[in-house]
Amino acid sequence: MRGNGGSNVSKPGKLPRQRHVSGPAEVVLHSAGQSSVRKSGRRGKGKRGDRAAKLYKQGYSRGYDEGVRQGQSSFGLVFEGVSIIIPTYNQREYVLKCVSSIEKHTPAPYEIIVVDNASKDGTAEAMLRKGGMVRVAALDVNRGFAGGVNQGLMMARGRHIVVLNNDTLVTPGWLDNMMACLDSDPEIGLVGPVTNYIGGDQQIDVPYSEVEDMWSFARRHNRPDPDKHRMTERLVGFCWLFSRELLERVGYLDEGYAVGNFEDDDWMIRVKLAGYKLAVAGDAFIHHFGSVSMKALGEQDFATVNKGNEQFHSRKWGDPHTLVAKTLQIAQHMAQANSTVPPDCIDPGKTDPRQRIATQSSHDGLPKPRRSNDFYPEGCFVSDVKGDVYRLTGGLRRKLNIPVPRGISPVQVAKPDLLGIPAGEAVVSAGEIQGWPLDVRHVHISSIHDSANGWSEGCIVAAADTPEIRYQINAGKRRRFVTVYAAERWGVHSGHVLTVSPEQLHVIEEGLPIIAPPQLLNEDL
C-alpha cells in the first residue's frame, strides 16, 4: 500500500484502446477513443472555404502519418537518460509545480511523461502548453495509479526510470544521489528517497513548516553521503528509481487494484522474487504534499477502496513475506546444485558482487536475477495484444501456427514478458499440443518412492490433507501455486487436481513457485 502516497482517483470503468503518437522532438496529444483533429479557427464560405478545409485535412493527415512513421522508427530505441513518469488526476497546479521542480533541479538527461487520467481541470492542456521535455498521454478514463504508471512505462525510452507522484517537489541533487545509491550495489533493484510526509521508514523529521523554507533544508540534507544509503523491505510508491533491465524482468504493475493503494506493494513482491533488493537513499530528500488526490475521495470512499485492494492483495499473495524468503532459499539451492564449485568453497566476501549478479552461468553457486516467466507454469498457453498464442514449454515460447484447440483459454500477458522468453519452433500440428491444464483422467502416476520420474510432467497435484495448496510437477520438482487465486488465473480448478498422500508429495524437491500474472486492462501493453 502506498500509505500516504496515493495520487490518482476516480471510479474505474471499461477501458477503451488508447494510442499515443509522439515524434522525437514534439508532443502530440491523442486521446483514446477521440479524434485529435482540431478544427481551424477560420471558417471560409463557399468553394474557397471548402478548398481550405480540404487542404487542412490533407495537411493534417500527412503530418499525422509522419508522426506515426517517426514513432515506429524510434520504437524500442533507448536513450542514456531517465524517463520520469508522473501519473496525475485533477491536480493541475501540483503537477505544474512538480514538473517545474524537475526542470530546475535535474541536470542529467531526462524526459518527463505525464499520464493524465481523464482530468477535468485542464491538466493535459496545461502540460501540452508547457512543452520542453514533456510528453503527454491524455486518457479518456481514469485507469488509476497502476494503469497510469503502466501507460508511462510503455512510453518510456530512458535507460533508467523514475515513477513520481504528482504532489511532490524534487530538490537539488535528488536524482544524482538516488542514482549513486542504485549503482552502489548491483543487487539493488529499486531505490526510493526520504521525505517529510509518507508511511514507513522513509519519513524523516524536518525543521520547516512552509514550503518556502524547504529549499534551504533540502540543499543541506542532499549533500552526497553513501553512509545514508540503507537496505529496506518496503518502499512507498510515491517515488521509485529503477533500471530498464529490472522492468524487463519484472513487468508491469497489476491493474487489478482499483484507483490506488497496494499495487506498489504487489510490484515490490515481484521485484524481490526476481532477486533484487530495495534501498533508501537517505541523502536524497524530496518534498511530498501528501495524498492530495486520495484525500479528495473522502474518508468513506477511501476506506472502501483501501479495503477492497487489501483483500485483493491478500487473495493474490497470501503470506508474501514467507513466500519471498522461501523463494530466495530455493533459488540459492538451485544455483548451488548447478554450480561446479562446492558450496563450502564459496566466499561471497571475496567475490565481486557486481560480477556475481551479472554472470549468467552459476559457476559460483549464486543465483542470478529471474524473470517473470520463471514463475509461470510449464505447458501453459499465453497470448499477446495482437492475439497471437504461444505455448510455454522448456523455457521457450512456441507460437501456435494453427487454430487454438477447443478447451484452451490463453492468458494475455504483456509484450515485454513475451519478448523476454526465447523463441522456439512454431507449433504446426495439433498433435504436438497437450491440453492445459492436464485433465485428471489423462494423468497416470506410479510409485515415486524410488524415482520422481513416475509423475506425469505438468500434472497438478495436492496433498489429501491440504487440497487448497496445489502444485505442478515440472522437471522432477513440485512447484506450488502461491494461492488458489494464482491457480485460477492460470485456469486450474479442482477438476484438474490429482489428490495424493502428503508422503508422496513431499518426497519431491520443491521448485520455484507459480504466481498469478498481473491483470492488464490496457490492451496496448
Side-chain angles (χ1 to χ4, degrees):
M1 183 178 73
R2 282 200 309 284
N4 294 322
S7 63
N8 298 277
V9 296
S10 183
K11 298 291 184 181
K14 186 176 178 62
L15 306 181
R17 290 180 68 115
Q18 189 274 346
R19 297 184 185 275
H20 178 88
V21 182
S22 180
E26 64 178 354
V27 177
V28 179
L29 174 65
H30 185 203
S31 297
Q34 294 181 357
S35 171
S36 57
V37 178
R38 295 183 179 180
K39 296 182 180 180
S40 173
R42 296 181 178 180
R43 295 191 178 185
K45 295 181 180 181
K47 293 182 178 180
R48 186 175 180 181
D50 291 342
R51 184 172 182 274
K54 183 178 180 180
L55 289 173
Y56 173 83
K57 290 180 180 179
Q58 289 175 346
Y60 177 86
S61 179
R62 286 194 296 269
Y64 181 86
D65 291 342
E66 176 63 14
V68 171
R69 187 192 67 77
Q70 291 184 13
Q72 291 173 339
S73 65
S74 64
F75 181 78
L77 297 180
V78 177
F79 83 95
E80 298 301 327
V82 180
S83 296
I84 303 172
I85 299 168
I86 308 174
T88 184
Y89 176 73
N90 275 356
Q91 300 297 336
R92 181 182 60 188
E93 298 308 314
Y94 280 101
V95 73
L96 283 169
K97 293 176 182 178
C98 178
V99 169
S100 294
S101 71
I102 295 170
E103 293 172 336
K104 186 174 182 179
H105 301 297
T106 312
Y110 67 88
E111 65 173 355
I112 300 172
I113 301 172
V114 175
V115 182
D116 182 54
N117 268 321
S119 295
K120 310 300 182 185
D121 64 352
T123 296
E125 291 76 9
M127 288 294 100
L128 285 170
R129 288 193 298 270
K130 193 167 184 64
M133 298 303 295
V134 180
R135 301 166 63 202
V136 180
L139 310 183
D140 283 344
V141 294
N142 188 342
R143 291 178 179 157
F145 183 82
V149 169
N150 286 346
Q151 178 71 32
L153 292 174
M154 180 177 65
M155 295 166 57
R157 298 182 295 203
R159 181 72 63 186
H160 291 86
I161 298 168
V162 168
V163 174
L164 185 66
N165 269 20
N166 59 3
D167 58 344
T168 57
L169 296 174
V170 303
T171 58
W174 75 286
L175 185 56
D176 288 343
N177 293 355
M178 289 178 69
M179 286 291 296
C181 180
L182 183 66
D183 291 340
S184 67
D185 185 340
E187 294 186 358
I188 295 175
L190 194 62
V191 171
V194 293
T195 189
N196 58 300
Y197 185 91
I198 206 66
D201 66 353
Q202 291 172 263
Q203 181 169 328
I204 63 172
D205 293 330
V206 297
Y208 66 88
S209 57
E210 301 295 333
V211 174
E212 292 76 12
D213 302 324
M214 178 269 296
W215 300 106
S216 58
F217 162 76
R219 287 187 182 90
R220 295 192 305 271
H221 182 93
N222 287 3
R223 294 178 183 132
D225 185 356
D227 290 339
K228 291 184 178 180
H229 300 168
R230 65 180 186 276
M231 300 297 182
T232 186
E233 289 300 311
R234 179 174 179 264
L235 291 170
V236 183
F238 80 107
C239 181
W240 282 337
L241 168 67
F242 52 94
S243 69
R244 177 168 293 276
E245 179 187 358
L246 180 139
L247 173 63
E248 292 171 349
R249 289 184 175 277
V250 177
Y252 291 118
L253 277 66
D254 193 325
E255 297 180 12
Y257 294 90
V259 184
N261 282 353
F262 287 96
E263 69 289 294
D264 52 349
D265 286 299
D266 181 294
W267 197 68
M268 281 185 288
I269 293 170
R270 290 154 54 201
V271 168
K272 290 190 282 189
L273 288 175
Y276 293 97
K277 296 178 180 179
L278 317 181
V280 176
D283 56 351
F285 173 89
I286 71 173
H287 177 79
H288 186 212
F289 290 100
S291 302
V292 294
S293 292
M294 293 302 286
K295 288 175 181 177
L297 275 175
E299 289 186 13
Q300 183 174 354
D301 287 344
F302 174 82
T304 300
V305 168
N306 198 62
K307 182 177 180 181
N309 284 351
E310 183 178 18
Q311 291 173 343
F312 176 59
H313 183 275
S314 179
R315 190 160 61 96
K316 180 178 178 180
W317 292 109
D319 180 358
H321 302 290
T322 300
L323 169 67
V324 169
K326 189 168 186 178
T327 299
L328 297 182
Q329 291 177 354
I330 292 171
Q332 180 81 21
H333 177 74
M334 291 171 61
Q336 291 177 354
N338 294 328
S339 174
T340 57
V341 180
D344 56 358
C345 293
I346 299 172
D347 185 357
K350 295 182 179 180
T351 306
D352 177 31
R354 194 172 299 274
Q355 182 179 1
R356 294 205 310 266
I357 208 76
T359 302
Q360 293 303 302
S361 63
S362 297
H363 296 307
D364 56 8
L366 292 166
K368 63 176 184 280
R370 294 163 288 283
R371 305 187 73 98
S372 58
N373 60 281
D374 291 328
F375 300 97
Y376 290 174
E378 174 71 11
C380 67
F381 292 83
V382 298
S383 65
D384 61 14
V385 64
K386 296 187 301 183
D388 292 334
V389 176
Y390 301 81
R391 186 179 184 219
L392 305 187
T393 177
L396 301 174
R397 54 180 167 95
R398 301 185 62 197
K399 183 179 179 181
L400 267 64
N401 284 349
I402 58 173
V404 179
R406 181 178 300 178
I408 291 177
S409 299
V411 177
Q412 183 176 332
V413 298
K415 187 175 183 178
D417 289 349
L418 274 176
L419 293 178
I421 307 171
E425 294 183 1
V427 177
V428 297
S429 169
E432 300 180 61
I433 297 180
Q434 227 176 357
W436 170 262
L438 289 180
D439 193 292
V440 171
R441 294 172 299 176
H442 302 148
V443 174
H444 63 276
I445 179 173
S446 60
S447 172
I448 63 167
H449 294 294
D450 298 323
S451 172
N453 295 329
W455 297 86
S456 295
E457 177 73 3
C459 69
I460 310 299
V461 299
D465 58 345
T466 53
E468 73 284 356
I469 302 177
R470 299 158 183 180
Y471 298 83
Q472 183 188 44
I473 303 302
N474 177 206
K477 292 183 171 63
R478 56 184 171 95
R479 299 181 58 203
R480 177 177 175 174
F481 290 90
V482 298
T483 57
V484 172
Y485 171 82
E488 291 175 345
R489 280 282 283 139
W490 290 109
V492 174
H493 300 283
S494 57
H496 303 117
V497 181
L498 178 69
T499 302
V500 298
S501 71
E503 293 76 19
Q504 286 178 307
L505 182 62
H506 293 295
V507 73
I508 302 180
E509 181 183 354
E510 189 162 4
L512 291 176
I514 299 172
I515 68 175
Q519 294 184 37
L520 301 175
L521 304 181
N522 182 350
E523 295 179 355
D524 286 339
L525 296 178

